[in-house]
Amino acid sequence: MAAPVTNEWKWFSALALGVSLLKCLLINAYHSTDFEVHRNWLALTHSLPLSKWYFEDTSEWTLDYPPFFAWFEFGLSHLAACFDSEMLAVQNLNYASPATVLFQRLSVIVTDVVFIYAVKECCRGVWDEKRKDLLEQPSFILATLLLWNFGLLIVDHIHFQYNGLLFGILLLSIARHFQGRHLEGAFLFSILLNLKHIYLYITPAYGIFLLRCFCFTCSNADRSVQWRSFSVLRFTVLGLIVLSTFALSFGPFIALGQLPQVFSRLFPFKRGLCHAYWAPNIWALYNVADKALTVLGVKLKLLDITKIPKASMTGGLVQESQHSVLPSVTPLATLICTLLSILPALVHMWFRPNGARGFLRCLVMCALGSFIFGWHVHEKAILMAILPYSLLAVEQKEDAGIFFILTTTGHYSLFPLLFTAQELPVKILLMLSFTVFSFTSLKQLFRKGGRLLSTSEAVYLLGLVPLGLVCECVYPLTTWQKSFPFIPLLVTSVYCALGVIYAFIRLYILLFTFTDCGTEAKMKSQ
């Protein structure tokens, strides 16, 4: 049976309270430009009429999230007025009074209650064997991996964003599907899409799963689809839920004739192939390969240096740039690559459905495929794969090993987000603590199944140690820092990209070679 919600779960409250206190200690830490982004959104939604929300451009940080998030900021703005009304003036650019900092930090901490609740719902569905040691309980390990996730902590509570709220809704949607409450899960995901459209990455997994496992009510003995079992009623109700959610979100802007303007803000393709902080994906490797071929071509006098594009792909800027030797990548090309990368997982889920666990595995594949091949991917998007994959990592050893590789490399790739000296010991301590816990707890949980990592995998991960020492401690002291400040980020992205892509390949191998049907029975249906 699944872990009961009794007094034995007092540890969950302790974990949640402990991480909340840690978040409070980080209130005065460094914050990125995302802090000003959200302050500006508070101001414009509070001070301007709805018709001007997606046109306002006093600040360079214009509103580029879907309408539900704009309304979320609108609601927060009324509370913000009680702290410091000056933060709600659109013209007060880069305004960060102590009261403003306190309010915005607290708003993230308080809305994390959604994430905490979602984690508890996910933990309720984890099979706990009767073990005396709490550190060997899958539910405890899962709760710690989620609540104390290093990436989420530094992105939300130092760098500054509201990912805890958003991932809380995602995890709650996943939990509802495990519980057989599919309409509720679909409704929550529809809300999520209208809060942040980056979750379009995993929409294919939701669409195929709900069509195959909810709208088709039965399967044949060989798990192929039973076409006659299609439920028109279920399909209609599901469609009404999704359409009504989007109508409520975009309806006012359709009525104002502003839908094209809203879409132009949501999908700004002119921002370029890579984000300023390179995501560790295939395009990081592609850019470096182009740079290496360019240097080699110039040295061999095969290229005319005067004809090489000045806007280098390795310049660390958010802009449209051209490759010098390799073909330049277009948004359409990345879309095709992304679809091709996730298509086998979607086809597998259609022909070999495995309930909610199969859906979750496909969701992780979609998140990773989009991260590796997508256009202008933010490095923070790796959390979209790491957090859901935590649920599978505590279920079987094969997933635990892949999870540890993905989590370690993905989390380390976030290091460049915190570049100030005072945050260096904080990020090192937090990541070291999380990484040590992840490895020791998962190794102990699956101690009967053999080694968690192969020798080559362990060597690769240990390579992050000298990489960190060079990039964080040695390189800033060299004269190259002034001339080539982008080198540490480039090296970090390339090294971590190898680990992320390796994890993606391992996941596909596991998908087609390992059967986990029996594990599904361990998940609690409510």
Side-chain angles (χ1 to χ4, degrees):
M1 60 182 294
V5 184
T6 64
N7 289 335
E8 297 177 7
W9 275 59
K10 288 182 179 179
W11 54 260
F12 186 88
S13 299
L15 283 176
L17 179 60
V19 76
S20 298
L21 291 175
L22 174 61
K23 294 170 185 176
C24 291
L25 294 176
L26 298 174
I27 285 177
N28 291 317
Y30 153 83
H31 55 77
S32 71
T33 53
D34 279 335
F35 181 89
E36 170 60 14
V37 169
H38 289 282
R39 186 217 59 82
N40 182 57
W41 293 358
L42 285 173
L44 70 89
T45 55
H46 184 85
S47 307
L48 301 176
L50 177 70
S51 60
K52 295 184 178 180
W53 284 5
Y54 286 95
F55 284 91
E56 166 60 35
D57 60 359
T58 300
S59 168
E60 62 178 309
W61 313 116
T62 54
L63 180 59
D64 59 5
Y65 274 25
F68 275 4
F69 199 90
W71 285 111
F72 168 71
E73 296 278 9
F74 175 77
L76 283 181
S77 69
H78 289 78
L79 297 175
C82 301
F83 284 74
D84 186 350
S85 59
E86 290 299 312
M87 79 173 83
L88 302 176
V90 175
Q91 66 274 15
N92 281 352
L93 302 182
N94 299 310
Y95 186 79
S97 67
T100 301
V101 173
L102 178 63
F103 170 75
Q104 291 198 229
R105 289 294 197 190
L106 287 178
S107 68
V108 179
I109 295 172
V110 172
T111 53
D112 271 0
V113 68
V114 176
F115 184 73
I116 293 172
Y117 173 69
V119 171
K120 188 168 186 178
E121 286 297 292
C122 289
C123 290
R124 289 177 62 192
V126 173
W127 175 264
D128 271 342
E129 298 178 0
K130 293 182 179 180
R131 303 183 184 185
K132 295 181 180 179
D133 191 350
L134 180 64
L135 296 177
E136 295 181 17
Q137 295 288 356
S139 57
F140 175 81
I141 295 172
L142 176 60
T144 307
L145 292 177
L146 290 172
L147 292 176
W148 287 79
N149 180 272
F150 165 76
L152 195 58
L153 279 174
I154 68 166
V155 169
D156 274 14
H157 301 281
I158 300 181
H159 184 79
F160 192 86
Q161 280 189 345
Y162 289 92
N163 291 293
L165 167 66
L166 302 173
F167 279 117
I169 297 174
L170 174 61
L171 291 178
L172 189 57
S173 172
I174 292 172
R176 293 299 180 245
H177 286 304
F178 270 106
Q179 296 162 1
R181 297 155 66 174
H182 299 299
L183 291 177
E184 188 177 341
F187 175 62
L188 287 168
F189 186 67
S190 297
I191 292 175
L192 182 62
L193 283 176
N194 286 280
L195 283 167
K196 191 170 184 178
H197 52 303
I198 194 175
Y199 293 95
L200 283 169
Y201 288 164
I202 57 177
T203 300
Y206 268 88
I208 297 297
F209 170 69
L210 288 170
L211 181 62
R212 177 65 179 84
C213 298
F214 178 70
C215 294
F216 286 97
T217 58
C218 297
S219 296
N220 295 315
D222 61 354
R223 289 199 286 176
S224 62
V225 63
Q226 192 175 108
W227 296 101
R228 293 183 178 180
S229 69
F230 181 76
S231 172
V232 176
L233 177 61
R234 288 190 175 192
F235 181 79
T236 302
V237 173
L238 183 63
L240 287 174
I241 289 174
V242 175
L243 291 176
S244 60
T245 305
F246 276 83
L248 182 62
S249 176
F250 288 93
F253 300 96
I254 295 175
L256 291 169
Q258 296 182 358
L259 192 60
Q261 173 64 19
V262 175
F263 280 176
S264 70
R265 288 285 184 85
L266 297 183
F267 304 101
F269 290 113
K270 291 185 178 181
R271 287 185 177 179
L273 176 63
C274 294
H275 189 246
Y277 294 100
W278 279 16
N281 60 14
I282 195 71
W283 307 125
L285 301 180
Y286 191 85
N287 291 342
V288 169
D290 180 73
K291 189 69 174 180
L293 290 173
T294 301
V295 173
L296 182 62
V298 171
K299 286 188 175 183
L300 297 178
K301 297 182 179 181
L302 298 175
L303 294 176
D304 185 351
I305 193 170
T306 62
K307 295 182 179 180
I308 296 176
K310 293 182 179 180
S312 171
M313 291 300 301
T314 55
L317 301 176
V318 180
Q319 61 184 24
E320 287 186 293
S321 302
Q322 298 294 317
H323 290 94
S324 302
V325 178
L326 298 176
S328 292
V329 181
T330 65
L332 179 60
T334 63
L335 176 61
I336 293 173
C337 290
T338 300
L339 292 177
L340 290 176
S341 73
I342 66 176
L343 185 60
L346 296 172
V347 172
H348 184 273
M349 183 167 63
W350 178 267
F351 288 103
R352 306 291 293 175
N354 190 26
R357 290 194 84 256
F359 154 68
L360 179 55
R361 188 174 298 281
C362 184
L363 183 151
V364 173
M365 300 296 294
C366 287
L368 262 185
S370 301
F371 180 84
I372 292 172
F373 295 100
W375 176 268
H376 194 76
V377 175
H378 288 231
E379 66 294 323
K380 300 179 285 290
I382 192 65
L383 296 178
M384 198 186 306
I386 289 175
L387 291 171
Y389 197 29
S390 304
L391 278 70
L392 297 176
V394 298
E395 289 290 328
Q396 60 186 35
K397 182 184 75 69
E398 291 76 10
D399 282 310
I402 301 172
F403 169 81
F404 184 73
I405 295 170
L406 177 65
T407 300
T408 306
T409 53
H411 281 169
Y412 183 81
S413 72
L414 299 175
F415 263 39
L417 289 177
L418 307 181
F419 51 82
T420 56
Q422 55 267 36
E423 269 69 47
L424 178 60
V426 176
K427 66 181 182 182
I428 291 177
L429 179 60
L430 287 177
M431 179 167 177
L432 188 61
S433 301
F434 182 85
T435 303
V436 170
F437 173 81
S438 300
F439 182 75
T440 56
S441 61
L442 293 174
K443 181 182 178 182
Q444 183 66 15
L445 183 63
F446 300 108
R447 62 186 181 278
K448 296 180 181 179
R451 298 176 60 183
L452 206 60
L453 301 173
S454 67
T455 301
S456 57
E457 291 168 346
V459 169
Y460 167 78
L461 292 178
L462 288 173
L464 291 170
V465 176
L467 177 66
L469 289 174
V470 171
C471 292
E472 300 287 345
C473 302
V474 178
Y475 191 83
L477 302 177
T478 66
T479 56
W480 294 342
Q481 175 65 24
K482 292 183 180 180
S483 302
F484 307 101
F486 194 61
I487 292 297
L489 175 57
L490 184 151
V491 175
T492 297
S493 296
V494 168
Y495 193 88
C496 292
L498 297 175
V500 172
I501 295 171
Y502 173 78
F504 184 62
I505 295 172
R506 281 282 310 276
L507 269 169
Y508 256 122
I509 294 174
L510 182 62
L511 177 68
F512 288 106
T513 60
F514 189 84
T515 175
D516 54 7
C517 302
T519 315
E520 177 67 28
K522 294 182 179 180
M523 306 302 290
K524 183 180 180 182
S525 297
Q526 296 182 350

